[in-house]
Amino acid sequence: MTKKVLLVGESWVSSATHYKGFDQFGSVTFHLGAEPLVKVLEGSEYELTYMPAHEAVEKFPFDMAGLDVYDVIILSDIGANSLLLPPAVWLHSRTVPNRLKLIKAWVEKGGGLLMVGGYFSFQGIDGKARWRRTAVEDVLPVTCLPYDDRVEIPEGTGAIITKADHPTVAGMGGQWPLLLGVNEVEVRDRADVEVVARLPDDQGGHPLLVTGTFGNGRSAAWTSDIGPHWLSPAFCEWEGYGRLWKNILGWLSDKR
């Protein structure tokens, strides 16, 4: 049975100015950050819709019927403002449905939500992702810090599986390839919340994969990236990469 997954975010536009003596010129480039995930899900039971950040501002559903199309929603490297401030609000001061509250209600009635780490995930760089104290944070098995939550690990680190019997890491024993960073979060103190994987003690022991429930739905937090730069090329090319994401999506879409 095909399960439908909506990936929101994981895109950005870069503007550069090039100086050559007296002269200068500009260039603009567009980037997608989730190609490794797209590749491993091709031909699988998971039908992925990739909604880049700039499209999500207006195209992310404004009603429950639009969300009910999907089994799992992934928010990855996109700040809360992109869903709170569509042009109708930002430019024209009109009212629209609060899409963060809509996501909360969707999970509560049985949806699966995954937040993936990045510079605009959780609280993000300079605290600008702004997911703290939102309806989406209510759903997650972790809470966001009130400030810049990046943990940069340029030397690289492995991961420790703390719940080897959890479905999200089934068949994932052995040493994982290197990670280069995570978002620091705090784990909720609830019986349903499980820290499935974390960083080693010498890297702060920060949570890496945390799962939980909310109402009739499920949620998970993966605090590192979906691809480079926080995931090393070795991690993205690792045979376990695809298994990990399929396991997580399988658990999230398994109706309670």
Side-chain angles (χ1 to χ4, degrees):
M1 178 180 176
T2 300
K3 297 180 180 180
K4 295 191 175 183
V5 179
L6 176 62
L7 169 62
V8 186
E10 280 302 332
S11 72
W12 63 98
V13 176
S14 299
S15 175
T17 302
H18 310 268
Y19 298 91
K20 297 191 175 185
F22 181 87
D23 299 299
Q24 61 86 20
F25 67 95
S27 64
V28 177
T29 52
F30 175 71
H31 308 269
L32 293 170
E35 291 97 329
L37 179 64
V38 172
K39 182 178 179 180
V40 298
L41 293 186
E42 286 178 353
S44 75
E45 64 181 296
Y46 300 102
E47 180 184 322
L48 182 69
T49 298
Y50 192 167
M51 184 179 289
H54 66 284
E55 292 185 6
V57 174
E58 290 192 85
K59 290 187 177 181
F60 188 90
F62 284 88
D63 57 31
M64 190 63 72
L67 295 186
D68 283 342
V69 172
Y70 303 101
D71 297 286
V72 178
I73 293 174
I74 304 173
L75 298 175
S76 184
D77 216 349
I78 182 170
N81 282 329
S82 292
L83 299 185
L84 289 169
L85 296 172
V89 177
W90 176 243
L91 298 178
H92 305 293
S93 299
R94 300 184 190 133
T95 61
V96 300
N98 186 319
R99 291 182 286 183
L100 306 194
K101 293 180 179 179
L102 186 65
I103 291 171
K104 178 178 178 178
W106 175 78
V107 175
E108 189 168 23
K109 74 187 190 75
L113 178 69
L114 171 64
M115 182 170 284
V116 175
Y119 273 27
F120 274 86
S121 299
F122 301 100
Q123 201 67 355
I125 188 168
D126 299 331
K128 290 180 177 179
R130 263 197 88 247
W131 290 106
R132 177 177 165 83
R133 294 185 175 177
T134 66
V136 167
E137 186 195 49
D138 291 344
V139 171
L140 297 175
V142 300
T143 58
C144 304
L145 301 181
Y147 42 76
D148 190 321
D149 60 8
R150 292 170 302 134
V151 180
E152 302 285 359
I153 311 171
E155 71 275 27
T157 184
I160 294 175
I161 299 176
T162 54
K163 296 280 185 181
D165 59 344
H166 197 278
T168 56
V169 291
M172 301 289 296
Q175 186 174 0
W176 291 16
L178 294 179
L179 305 159
L180 303 180
V182 297
N183 294 92
E184 182 179 355
V185 296
E186 294 183 346
V187 178
R188 291 188 186 277
D189 185 14
R190 289 198 323 242
D192 64 289
V193 172
E194 296 185 279
V195 178
V196 180
R198 64 175 178 84
L199 300 191
D201 290 339
D202 64 356
Q203 294 290 353
H206 298 292
L208 176 61
L209 175 59
V210 187
T211 63
T213 61
F214 187 80
N216 292 318
R218 293 180 167 182
S219 66
W222 168 261
T223 61
S224 193
D225 219 327
I226 213 166
H229 84 279
W230 275 351
L231 291 191
S232 65
F235 200 109
C236 296
E237 295 164 7
W238 172 46
E239 63 177 10
Y241 176 87
R243 184 181 303 147
L244 174 64
W245 292 110
K246 291 172 186 176
N247 283 351
I248 293 173
L249 293 175
W251 183 82
L252 286 168
S253 59
D254 185 14
K255 301 300 182 183
R256 298 178 61 204

